[in-house]
Amino acid sequence: MKSKLCLALVVLFAFIPTVAFATDTKTAELSGETSARIADNCSSIRQNLKNLQRADSRARTYFGAIYETVSSKFLKPLNLRLVNNDLSNPNLSKLQSSFATERTNFSDDFVDYSKSLEDLIAIDCRLEPKQFYEKLLETREKRTSVAEDLKLLNSLMLDSVGHVEKLKESLK
């Protein structure tokens, strides 16, 4: 029953879009007009960045909890039970290892992105629009990396469902 619940969680959460972390990474040279707009709208920009920071933090907590549940309540127990019953499956073992590695990458990339966002918010864009813009581009790249990690983790969850289905068929 427990593994059916975990499998249902995997299937349900594998389809969660990574919209929360999607970014547009267009890079362009900072023009005088753009610099003036950044300075004029600085307080609004900073407020929007703070809102983004809060939303991303909640999303990180949400996705982190999902990935922890999949790992600790589905992949590890399944592989352990298979090994204990002399039915070890190298594909599932490899998937569990890959999932753990990618979870670590996701956490590390998110921490890096979060620090970059914090530094970005700390820059006074009225006084230093060029430095703000450069840090903004750097932060966007780091955010894109987090989004790629999420896509990979979701893909690994879908792969685990496929491997479990194949294993189920082979045991019939």
Side-chain angles (χ1 to χ4, degrees):
M1 181 66 181
K2 196 178 206 181
S3 60
K4 286 183 181 179
L5 174 64
C6 288
L7 181 60
L9 280 172
V10 168
V11 172
L12 176 66
F13 294 121
F15 296 104
I16 294 175
T18 57
V19 173
F21 291 103
T23 59
D24 179 16
T25 57
K26 293 179 184 171
T27 58
E29 196 62 36
L30 184 65
S31 68
E33 181 182 328
T34 304
S35 179
R37 274 199 243 163
I38 289 172
D40 290 345
N41 297 308
C42 184
S43 61
S44 174
I45 292 169
R46 289 178 77 181
Q47 186 59 46
N48 286 333
L49 288 172
K50 288 177 184 177
N51 291 341
L52 176 69
Q53 185 180 37
R54 281 191 293 277
D56 282 352
S57 180
R58 284 191 301 269
R60 161 58 178 101
T61 301
Y62 179 74
F63 286 116
I66 290 168
Y67 299 142
E68 175 61 28
T69 299
V70 167
S71 180
S72 66
K73 297 195 187 246
F74 179 66
L75 291 174
K76 285 180 186 177
L78 176 61
N79 279 320
L80 185 60
R81 188 161 184 179
L82 289 171
V83 169
N84 286 340
N85 290 312
D86 294 325
L87 297 169
S88 66
N89 185 312
N91 290 334
L92 282 172
S93 296
K94 184 179 176 185
L95 193 127
Q96 177 186 348
S97 175
S98 295
F99 193 81
T101 300
E102 292 308 321
R103 269 186 52 222
T104 302
N105 289 343
F106 167 68
S107 293
D108 293 346
D109 286 348
F110 187 86
V111 168
D112 191 34
Y113 158 69
S114 186
K115 286 177 183 175
S116 184
L117 183 59
E118 189 69 35
D119 293 344
L120 175 65
I121 293 170
I123 296 172
D124 188 350
C125 45
R126 280 184 297 253
L127 301 176
E128 303 177 62
K130 183 175 183 187
Q131 181 186 3
F132 179 84
Y133 185 72
E134 289 169 358
K135 189 67 175 179
L136 175 66
L137 295 178
E138 177 188 321
T139 304
R140 282 180 176 172
E141 288 176 17
K142 291 178 181 187
R143 194 165 197 264
T144 299
S145 180
V146 171
E148 290 168 2
D149 292 341
L150 284 170
K151 287 178 186 176
L152 185 55
L153 282 165
N154 287 340
S155 173
L156 288 171
M157 284 195 305
L158 283 175
D159 289 349
S160 69
V161 171
H163 286 299
V164 169
E165 289 297 321
K166 287 179 187 174
L167 178 65
K168 211 164 95 175
E169 290 299 316
S170 72
L171 293 176
K172 284 186 179 181

